[in-house]
Amino acid sequence: EIEGNVADCIGIYRLVDGKTVNGKPTWRNTRLLDKWLAWNGSTAWNVQSESNLGKTKGWLQLLDKGCAYPSQSKVVWEAWDGGEWVKQAELQCAVASLEDLPAPAALMIESPKIDSEANGCLGLYALVQGRIVNGKPVWRHTGRPNRWLSFNGDNAWNAQSEANLGKSRGWLQLL
């Protein structure tokens, strides 16, 4: 059983665009931002703290020099128990889809002043827990309760009134 800091390593990691460590791509935990998955430069992929990024230190390791990505490996992961590395036969690294990522608790729409009613759509939006429109989460403006962000079901996110939630109508459209 995985416990302590090692248990905190379990979760969804998101590829950090443009960030490489020791010449390979790097992922960051979506919930615990100090947990990273990176190549240590010599022997293994490690789940490690930001301060140890790219070093041969961490809570989990995958000793597979031959894989380009940890999700491609068939090698068994190991967990550090404070004294030695212990094989974790049940632990897997699998590719996750964007739908697996948690929705952000808040979104900010910023722009220089817009000379239209759309200017009232700028600002902070909070996630509305449990509310789904067209299969996607919904956010509500924190200062203007009749301003919402929702997916139109086709190709865009709209800043719109509650009456138009999920439709291709609104003051702003984010493509």
Side-chain angles (χ1 to χ4, degrees):
E1 182 174 314
I2 298 175
E3 299 175 355
N5 282 334
V6 175
D8 287 342
C9 296
I10 306 302
I12 297 174
Y13 288 74
R14 185 174 195 157
L15 180 66
V16 179
D17 289 333
K19 184 170 182 70
T20 60
V21 174
N22 295 318
K24 295 199 179 190
T26 304
W27 293 262
R28 190 176 201 178
N29 190 298
T30 60
R31 188 176 51 86
L32 300 171
L33 300 180
D34 190 46
K35 303 281 192 257
W36 292 78
L37 174 55
W39 177 248
N40 72 16
S42 60
T43 59
W45 290 93
N46 286 96
V47 174
Q48 54 198 184
S49 67
E50 190 165 14
S51 62
N52 287 322
L53 203 54
K55 299 176 185 173
T56 54
K57 295 180 178 183
W59 299 285
L60 296 173
Q61 72 175 5
L62 177 67
L63 294 167
D64 191 347
K65 292 181 186 181
C67 68
Y69 306 105
S71 60
Q72 297 174 333
S73 180
K74 301 294 182 207
V75 173
V76 174
W77 282 83
E78 298 177 348
W80 183 250
D81 73 357
E84 64 182 342
W85 290 101
V86 179
K87 293 204 178 288
Q88 303 294 318
E90 300 296 316
L91 189 61
Q92 297 179 17
C93 179
V95 175
S97 68
L98 286 176
E99 288 77 29
D100 295 329
L101 295 173
L107 297 171
M108 177 70 82
I109 297 181
E110 297 178 306
S111 176
K113 185 174 179 356
I114 300 171
D115 289 327
S116 74
E117 212 174 327
N119 194 61
C121 297
L122 302 179
L124 184 64
Y125 289 77
L127 179 66
V128 179
Q129 293 292 336
R131 185 125 189 218
I132 303 293
V133 173
N134 292 325
K136 306 283 186 194
V138 177
W139 289 262
R140 189 176 194 179
H141 198 288
T142 59
R144 295 175 184 251
N146 192 35
R147 298 288 196 262
W148 296 74
L149 285 178
S150 75
F151 186 64
N152 70 10
D154 185 26
N155 65 348
W157 290 85
N158 288 27
Q160 55 197 179
S161 68
E162 187 170 16
N164 288 321
L165 276 177
K167 299 176 185 171
S168 293
R169 296 182 183 145
W171 298 282
L172 288 175
Q173 189 171 64
L174 310 168
L175 299 174

PDB file of all heavy atoms in Angstrom, residues 26-44:
ATOM      1  N   THR A  26       8.117  17.328 -19.477  1.00  0.00           N
ATOM      2  CA  THR A  26       7.879  17.329 -18.034  1.00  0.00           C
ATOM      3  C   THR A  26       6.391  17.546 -17.766  1.00  0.00           C
ATOM      4  O   THR A  26       5.736  18.308 -18.459  1.00  0.00           O
ATOM      5  CB  THR A  26       8.690  18.482 -17.395  1.00  0.00           C
ATOM      6  OG1 THR A  26      10.060  18.302 -17.743  1.00  0.00           O
ATOM      7  CG2 THR A  26       8.559  18.484 -15.895  1.00  0.00           C
ATOM      8  N   TRP A  27       5.880  16.866 -16.733  1.00  0.00           N
ATOM      9  CA  TRP A  27       4.476  16.969 -16.343  1.00  0.00           C
ATOM     10  C   TRP A  27       4.387  17.471 -14.912  1.00  0.00           C
ATOM     11  O   TRP A  27       5.252  17.199 -14.087  1.00  0.00           O
ATOM     12  CB  TRP A  27       3.793  15.601 -16.426  1.00  0.00           C
ATOM     13  CG  TRP A  27       3.666  15.067 -17.815  1.00  0.00           C
ATOM     14  CD1 TRP A  27       2.569  15.142 -18.614  1.00  0.00           C
ATOM     15  CD2 TRP A  27       4.640  14.346 -18.577  1.00  0.00           C
ATOM     16  NE1 TRP A  27       2.798  14.522 -19.817  1.00  0.00           N
ATOM     17  CE2 TRP A  27       4.069  14.035 -19.820  1.00  0.00           C
ATOM     18  CE3 TRP A  27       5.965  13.962 -18.337  1.00  0.00           C
ATOM     19  CZ2 TRP A  27       4.754  13.338 -20.813  1.00  0.00           C
ATOM     20  CZ3 TRP A  27       6.651  13.270 -19.315  1.00  0.00           C
ATOM     21  CH2 TRP A  27       6.044  12.968 -20.536  1.00  0.00           C
ATOM     22  N   ARG A  28       3.291  18.189 -14.612  1.00  0.00           N
ATOM     23  CA  ARG A  28       3.054  18.725 -13.273  1.00  0.00           C
ATOM     24  C   ARG A  28       1.706  18.226 -12.757  1.00  0.00           C
ATOM     25  O   ARG A  28       0.726  18.197 -13.504  1.00  0.00           O
ATOM     26  CB  ARG A  28       3.048  20.252 -13.324  1.00  0.00           C
ATOM     27  CG  ARG A  28       3.048  20.910 -11.978  1.00  0.00           C
ATOM     28  CD  ARG A  28       3.148  22.407 -12.145  1.00  0.00           C
ATOM     29  NE  ARG A  28       3.630  23.023 -10.925  1.00  0.00           N
ATOM     30  CZ  ARG A  28       3.854  24.300 -10.784  1.00  0.00           C
ATOM     31  NH1 ARG A  28       3.654  25.120 -11.798  1.00  0.00           N
ATOM     32  NH2 ARG A  28       4.286  24.785  -9.654  1.00  0.00           N
ATOM     33  N   ASN A  29       1.652  17.845 -11.490  1.00  0.00           N
ATOM     34  CA  ASN A  29       0.415  17.373 -10.874  1.00  0.00           C
ATOM     35  C   ASN A  29      -0.614  18.498 -10.919  1.00  0.00           C
ATOM     36  O   ASN A  29      -0.309  19.642 -10.603  1.00  0.00           O
ATOM     37  CB  ASN A  29       0.694  16.935  -9.436  1.00  0.00           C
ATOM     38  CG  ASN A  29      -0.462  16.203  -8.805  1.00  0.00           C
ATOM     39  OD1 ASN A  29      -1.543  16.752  -8.647  1.00  0.00           O
ATOM     40  ND2 ASN A  29      -0.219  14.970  -8.404  1.00  0.00           N
ATOM     41  N   THR A  30      -1.846  18.170 -11.300  1.00  0.00           N
ATOM     42  CA  THR A  30      -2.877  19.200 -11.439  1.00  0.00           C
ATOM     43  C   THR A  30      -3.464  19.632 -10.104  1.00  0.00           C
ATOM     44  O   THR A  30      -4.116  20.664 -10.030  1.00  0.00           O
ATOM     45  CB  THR A  30      -4.029  18.699 -12.335  1.00  0.00           C
ATOM     46  OG1 THR A  30      -4.612  17.531 -11.749  1.00  0.00           O
ATOM     47  CG2 THR A  30      -3.538  18.402 -13.739  1.00  0.00           C
ATOM     48  N   ARG A  31      -3.227  18.869  -9.045  1.00  0.00           N
ATOM     49  CA  ARG A  31      -3.796  19.174  -7.727  1.00  0.00           C
ATOM     50  C   ARG A  31      -2.724  19.649  -6.751  1.00  0.00           C
ATOM     51  O   ARG A  31      -2.916  20.613  -6.032  1.00  0.00           O
ATOM     52  CB  ARG A  31      -4.501  17.920  -7.195  1.00  0.00           C
ATOM     53  CG  ARG A  31      -5.300  18.096  -5.952  1.00  0.00           C
ATOM     54  CD  ARG A  31      -6.037  16.814  -5.558  1.00  0.00           C
ATOM     55  NE  ARG A  31      -5.201  15.631  -5.506  1.00  0.00           N
ATOM     56  CZ  ARG A  31      -4.494  15.254  -4.437  1.00  0.00           C
ATOM     57  NH1 ARG A  31      -4.535  15.946  -3.339  1.00  0.00           N
ATOM     58  NH2 ARG A  31      -3.758  14.166  -4.481  1.00  0.00           N
ATOM     59  N   LEU A  32      -1.599  18.971  -6.737  1.00  0.00           N
ATOM     60  CA  LEU A  32      -0.484  19.322  -5.843  1.00  0.00           C
ATOM     61  C   LEU A  32       0.654  19.851  -6.709  1.00  0.00           C
ATOM     62  O   LEU A  32       1.429  19.082  -7.267  1.00  0.00           O
ATOM     63  CB  LEU A  32      -0.042  18.097  -5.025  1.00  0.00           C
ATOM     64  CG  LEU A  32      -1.127  17.502  -4.133  1.00  0.00           C
ATOM     65  CD1 LEU A  32      -0.670  16.176  -3.544  1.00  0.00           C
ATOM     66  CD2 LEU A  32      -1.489  18.480  -3.030  1.00  0.00           C
ATOM     67  N   LEU A  33       0.763  21.163  -6.804  1.00  0.00           N
ATOM     68  CA  LEU A  33       1.638  21.788  -7.791  1.00  0.00           C
ATOM     69  C   LEU A  33       3.128  21.610  -7.520  1.00  0.00           C
ATOM     70  O   LEU A  33       3.946  21.943  -8.367  1.00  0.00           O
ATOM     71  CB  LEU A  33       1.287  23.271  -7.917  1.00  0.00           C
ATOM     72  CG  LEU A  33      -0.149  23.550  -8.366  1.00  0.00           C
ATOM     73  CD1 LEU A  33      -0.401  25.041  -8.465  1.00  0.00           C
ATOM     74  CD2 LEU A  33      -0.456  22.861  -9.683  1.00  0.00           C
ATOM     75  N   ASP A  34       3.504  21.060  -6.372  1.00  0.00           N
ATOM     76  CA  ASP A  34       4.915  20.792  -6.095  1.00  0.00           C
ATOM     77  C   ASP A  34       5.308  19.367  -6.484  1.00  0.00           C
ATOM     78  O   ASP A  34       6.414  18.931  -6.224  1.00  0.00           O
ATOM     79  CB  ASP A  34       5.252  21.041  -4.619  1.00  0.00           C
ATOM     80  CG  ASP A  34       6.764  21.006  -4.381  1.00  0.00           C
ATOM     81  OD1 ASP A  34       7.499  21.631  -5.174  1.00  0.00           O
ATOM     82  OD2 ASP A  34       7.208  20.327  -3.437  1.00  0.00           O
ATOM     83  N   LYS A  35       4.434  18.642  -7.128  1.00  0.00           N
ATOM     84  CA  LYS A  35       4.739  17.283  -7.590  1.00  0.00           C
ATOM     85  C   LYS A  35       4.921  17.316  -9.103  1.00  0.00           C
ATOM     86  O   LYS A  35       4.047  17.774  -9.842  1.00  0.00           O
ATOM     87  CB  LYS A  35       3.607  16.308  -7.241  1.00  0.00           C
ATOM     88  CG  LYS A  35       3.267  16.230  -5.770  1.00  0.00           C
ATOM     89  CD  LYS A  35       4.253  15.384  -5.013  1.00  0.00           C
ATOM     90  CE  LYS A  35       3.771  15.072  -3.615  1.00  0.00           C
ATOM     91  NZ  LYS A  35       4.375  15.826  -2.568  1.00  0.00           N
ATOM     92  N   TRP A  36       6.075  16.846  -9.548  1.00  0.00           N
ATOM     93  CA  TRP A  36       6.434  16.856 -10.961  1.00  0.00           C
ATOM     94  C   TRP A  36       6.829  15.452 -11.398  1.00  0.00           C
ATOM     95  O   TRP A  36       7.351  14.676 -10.600  1.00  0.00           O
ATOM     96  CB  TRP A  36       7.624  17.784 -11.197  1.00  0.00           C
ATOM     97  CG  TRP A  36       7.325  19.225 -10.995  1.00  0.00           C
ATOM     98  CD1 TRP A  36       7.211  19.896  -9.811  1.00  0.00           C
ATOM     99  CD2 TRP A  36       7.111  20.202 -12.007  1.00  0.00           C
ATOM    100  NE1 TRP A  36       6.934  21.225 -10.029  1.00  0.00           N
ATOM    101  CE2 TRP A  36       6.870  21.438 -11.368  1.00  0.00           C
ATOM    102  CE3 TRP A  36       7.102  20.139 -13.401  1.00  0.00           C
ATOM    103  CZ2 TRP A  36       6.623  22.604 -12.082  1.00  0.00           C
ATOM    104  CZ3 TRP A  36       6.866  21.300 -14.103  1.00  0.00           C
ATOM    105  CH2 TRP A  36       6.624  22.524 -13.450  1.00  0.00           C
ATOM    106  N   LEU A  37       6.652  15.148 -12.669  1.00  0.00           N
ATOM    107  CA  LEU A  37       7.128  13.917 -13.280  1.00  0.00           C
ATOM    108  C   LEU A  37       8.143  14.327 -14.337  1.00  0.00           C
ATOM    109  O   LEU A  37       7.796  15.015 -15.304  1.00  0.00           O
ATOM    110  CB  LEU A  37       5.961  13.143 -13.898  1.00  0.00           C
ATOM    111  CG  LEU A  37       6.292  11.893 -14.708  1.00  0.00           C
ATOM    112  CD1 LEU A  37       7.119  10.899 -13.905  1.00  0.00           C
ATOM    113  CD2 LEU A  37       5.015  11.246 -15.216  1.00  0.00           C
ATOM    114  N   ALA A  38       9.407  13.944 -14.101  1.00  0.00           N
ATOM    115  CA  ALA A  38      10.481  14.399 -14.990  1.00  0.00           C
ATOM    116  C   ALA A  38      11.577  13.338 -15.100  1.00  0.00           C
ATOM    117  O   ALA A  38      11.749  12.504 -14.204  1.00  0.00           O
ATOM    118  CB  ALA A  38      11.078  15.704 -14.458  1.00  0.00           C
ATOM    119  N   TRP A  39      12.328  13.407 -16.178  1.00  0.00           N
ATOM    120  CA  TRP A  39      13.485  12.543 -16.402  1.00  0.00           C
ATOM    121  C   TRP A  39      14.632  13.049 -15.538  1.00  0.00           C
ATOM    122  O   TRP A  39      14.922  14.235 -15.523  1.00  0.00           O
ATOM    123  CB  TRP A  39      13.858  12.555 -17.883  1.00  0.00           C
ATOM    124  CG  TRP A  39      15.077  11.755 -18.214  1.00  0.00           C
ATOM    125  CD1 TRP A  39      16.278  12.227 -18.626  1.00  0.00           C
ATOM    126  CD2 TRP A  39      15.211  10.334 -18.148  1.00  0.00           C
ATOM    127  NE1 TRP A  39      17.157  11.202 -18.829  1.00  0.00           N
ATOM    128  CE2 TRP A  39      16.517  10.018 -18.536  1.00  0.00           C
ATOM    129  CE3 TRP A  39      14.356   9.299 -17.790  1.00  0.00           C
ATOM    130  CZ2 TRP A  39      17.000   8.710 -18.588  1.00  0.00           C
ATOM    131  CZ3 TRP A  39      14.823   7.992 -17.843  1.00  0.00           C
ATOM    132  CH2 TRP A  39      16.130   7.708 -18.238  1.00  0.00           C
ATOM    133  N   ASN A  40      15.301  12.118 -14.815  1.00  0.00           N
ATOM    134  CA  ASN A  40      16.370  12.554 -13.903  1.00  0.00           C
ATOM    135  C   ASN A  40      17.726  12.722 -14.584  1.00  0.00           C
ATOM    136  O   ASN A  40      18.708  13.065 -13.937  1.00  0.00           O
ATOM    137  CB  ASN A  40      16.464  11.637 -12.683  1.00  0.00           C
ATOM    138  CG  ASN A  40      17.025  10.263 -12.976  1.00  0.00           C
ATOM    139  OD1 ASN A  40      17.639  10.014 -14.013  1.00  0.00           O
ATOM    140  ND2 ASN A  40      16.801   9.349 -12.053  1.00  0.00           N
ATOM    141  N   GLY A  41      17.797  12.477 -15.868  1.00  0.00           N
ATOM    142  CA  GLY A  41      19.025  12.729 -16.609  1.00  0.00           C
ATOM    143  C   GLY A  41      19.919  11.520 -16.774  1.00  0.00           C
ATOM    144  O   GLY A  41      20.859  11.551 -17.572  1.00  0.00           O
ATOM    145  N   SER A  42      19.667  10.444 -16.030  1.00  0.00           N
ATOM    146  CA  SER A  42      20.559   9.301 -16.167  1.00  0.00           C
ATOM    147  C   SER A  42      19.866   7.942 -16.146  1.00  0.00           C
ATOM    148  O   SER A  42      20.162   7.104 -16.984  1.00  0.00           O
ATOM    149  CB  SER A  42      21.641   9.336 -15.082  1.00  0.00           C
ATOM    150  OG  SER A  42      21.050   9.295 -13.797  1.00  0.00           O
ATOM    151  N   THR A  43      18.972   7.710 -15.208  1.00  0.00           N
ATOM    152  CA  THR A  43      18.464   6.349 -15.045  1.00  0.00           C
ATOM    153  C   THR A  43      16.954   6.199 -15.003  1.00  0.00           C
ATOM    154  O   THR A  43      16.454   5.096 -15.218  1.00  0.00           O
ATOM    155  CB  THR A  43      18.991   5.741 -13.727  1.00  0.00           C
ATOM    156  OG1 THR A  43      18.555   6.570 -12.649  1.00  0.00           O
ATOM    157  CG2 THR A  43      20.506   5.631 -13.717  1.00  0.00           C
ATOM    158  N   ALA A  44      16.219   7.254 -14.672  1.00  0.00           N
ATOM    159  CA  ALA A  44      14.798   7.031 -14.374  1.00  0.00           C
ATOM    160  C   ALA A  44      13.940   8.270 -14.578  1.00  0.00           C
ATOM    161  O   ALA A  44      14.419   9.406 -14.557  1.00  0.00           O
ATOM    162  CB  ALA A  44      14.651   6.575 -12.919  1.00  0.00           C
TER     163      ALA A  44
END
